[in-house]
C-alpha cells in the first residue's frame, strides 16, 4: 500500500538564535564589548596562566645557572617564594589601609566643613 499524502521536503533545522539584549537592559553601550570577561573561562584563565608561568619559571631555575649575591638567593625557588610572600603582604596590607582611609558613604554629601 502506498501513502496518499505527499511528503514534504525536510528543511534544515535553524541554529538557536541568540537573544539580543534590549537597549533598556541597564548595560552601557561601551561596556558591551567587554561582557565576555564575565564568562566562566575568562574568570579562571588568569589563575591557570599565572600557575603555568610560575611552574615554568621554577623549571627554568632548575636548569639555568644562578649567580647568587647572598646566601638566601642560593635556596632553590627563592624568587618564587619571595614573590608569593610579597604578594600576600601587599594584599593583606589592604585591610589596615581600608580602616585608615575609609570614609562614610555620605562623606561628600554632608553640608558644612569637616575641618
Amino acid at each position: 500500500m502506498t501513502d496518499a499524502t505527499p511528503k514534504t521536503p525536510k528543511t534544515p533545522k535553524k541554529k538557536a538564535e541568540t537573544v539580543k539584549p534590549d537597549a533598556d537592559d541597564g548595560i552601557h553601550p561601551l561596556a558591551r564589548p567587554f561582557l565576555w570577561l564575565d564568562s566562566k573561562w575568562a574568570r579562571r584563565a588568569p589563575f591557570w596562566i599565572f600557575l603555568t608561568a610560575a611552574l615554568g619559571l621554577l623549571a627554568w631555575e632548575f636548569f639555568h645557572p644562578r649567580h647568587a649575591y647572598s646566601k638566601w638567593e642560593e635556596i632553590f625557588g627563592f624568587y618564587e617564594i619571595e614573590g608569593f610572600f610579597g604578594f600576600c603582604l601587599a594584599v593583606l596590607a589592604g585591610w589596615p589601609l581600608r580602616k585608615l582611609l575609609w570614609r562614610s558613604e555620605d562623606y561628600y554629601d554632608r553640608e558644612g566643613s569637616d575641618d
Side-chain angles (χ1 to χ4, degrees):
M1 294 190 120
T2 61
D3 191 8
T5 59
K7 293 185 178 182
T8 58
K10 292 185 177 181
T11 57
K13 292 183 179 181
K14 292 183 180 180
K15 292 182 180 178
E17 295 182 19
T18 58
V19 178
K20 293 186 178 182
D22 297 335
D24 193 29
D25 61 356
I27 300 174
H28 193 278
L30 294 177
R32 291 191 189 283
F34 301 100
L35 290 178
W36 64 272
L37 290 170
D38 195 34
S39 64
K40 190 174 185 178
W41 70 268
R43 288 183 300 218
R44 292 185 180 198
F47 170 77
W48 292 108
I49 291 170
F50 288 125
L51 179 67
T52 305
L55 293 176
L57 289 172
L58 192 63
W60 175 263
E61 184 177 344
F62 183 72
F63 295 110
H64 187 271
R66 288 180 285 144
H67 305 286
Y69 294 106
S70 70
K71 66 177 183 175
W72 294 106
E73 291 178 279
E74 295 174 3
I75 299 171
F76 180 73
F78 169 76
Y79 294 109
E80 289 80 4
I81 295 168
E82 180 187 30
F84 175 76
F85 283 112
F87 179 76
C88 290
L89 179 67
V91 169
L92 293 176
W95 288 344
L97 281 175
R98 181 178 185 267
K99 291 183 187 273
L100 178 69
L101 300 174
W102 180 81
R103 301 287 182 254
S104 62
E105 289 185 24
D106 64 343
Y107 179 74
Y108 292 104
D109 293 335
R110 289 186 280 176
E111 296 292 326
S113 66
D114 291 330
D115 293 339

